[in-house]
């Protein structure tokens, strides 16, 4: 099977840390001009050892989950506009 790249929409991810709090911000610019921003946070238990990478992974996963929900919502709206049928995509 041959595949063809139609469009590219890179995702930018940025991390911020303050003490035990880690935040990931994800930005996606779609080819239709739609911009999405999603945020995920994690708060390390003070009794746990400091592992910056783990906090970033959890915060990133939460931000990407938020982004996926936003994309499903947009897809549902786009389907409804095209078909005039109420659509609910599972998250």
């Amino acid at each position: 099977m041959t595949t063809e790249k139609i469009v590219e929409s890179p995702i930018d991810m940025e991390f911020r840390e303050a003490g035990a709090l880690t935040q990931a911000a994800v930005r996606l610019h779609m080819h239709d001009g739609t911009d999405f921003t999603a945020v995920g946070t994690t708060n390390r238990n003070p009794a746990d050892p400091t592992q910056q990478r783990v906090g970033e992974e959890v915060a990133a996963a939460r931000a990407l989950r938020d982004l996926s929900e936003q994309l499903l919502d947009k897809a549902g709206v786009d389907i409804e506009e095209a078909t005039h049928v109420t659509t609910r995509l599972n998250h």
Side-chain angles (χ1 to χ4, degrees):
M1 180 171 81
T2 304
T3 62
E4 177 184 350
K5 181 166 114 176
I6 299 170
V7 297
E8 185 172 313
S9 297
I11 295 174
D12 294 315
M13 188 174 297
E14 175 181 290
F15 296 97
R16 296 184 186 272
E17 298 191 47
L21 181 69
T22 302
Q23 182 183 65
V26 177
R27 289 175 200 79
L28 172 64
H29 178 75
M30 299 291 289
H31 65 280
D32 69 356
T34 305
D35 290 312
F36 293 94
T37 301
V39 176
T41 59
T42 188
N43 194 4
R44 179 178 48 83
N45 184 315
D48 291 342
T50 301
Q51 293 186 341
Q52 180 178 356
R53 180 181 47 82
V54 173
E56 290 173 354
E57 291 168 349
V58 172
R62 289 176 176 164
L64 290 169
R65 181 177 56 204
D66 180 26
L67 178 63
S68 73
E69 291 174 4
Q70 291 181 47
L71 287 166
L72 285 169
D73 288 344
K74 181 184 184 313
V77 168
D78 291 346
I79 291 168
E80 287 181 4
E81 288 176 355
T83 65
H84 306 289
V85 175
T86 301
T87 304
R88 175 159 169 77
L89 298 176
N90 294 328
H91 289 221

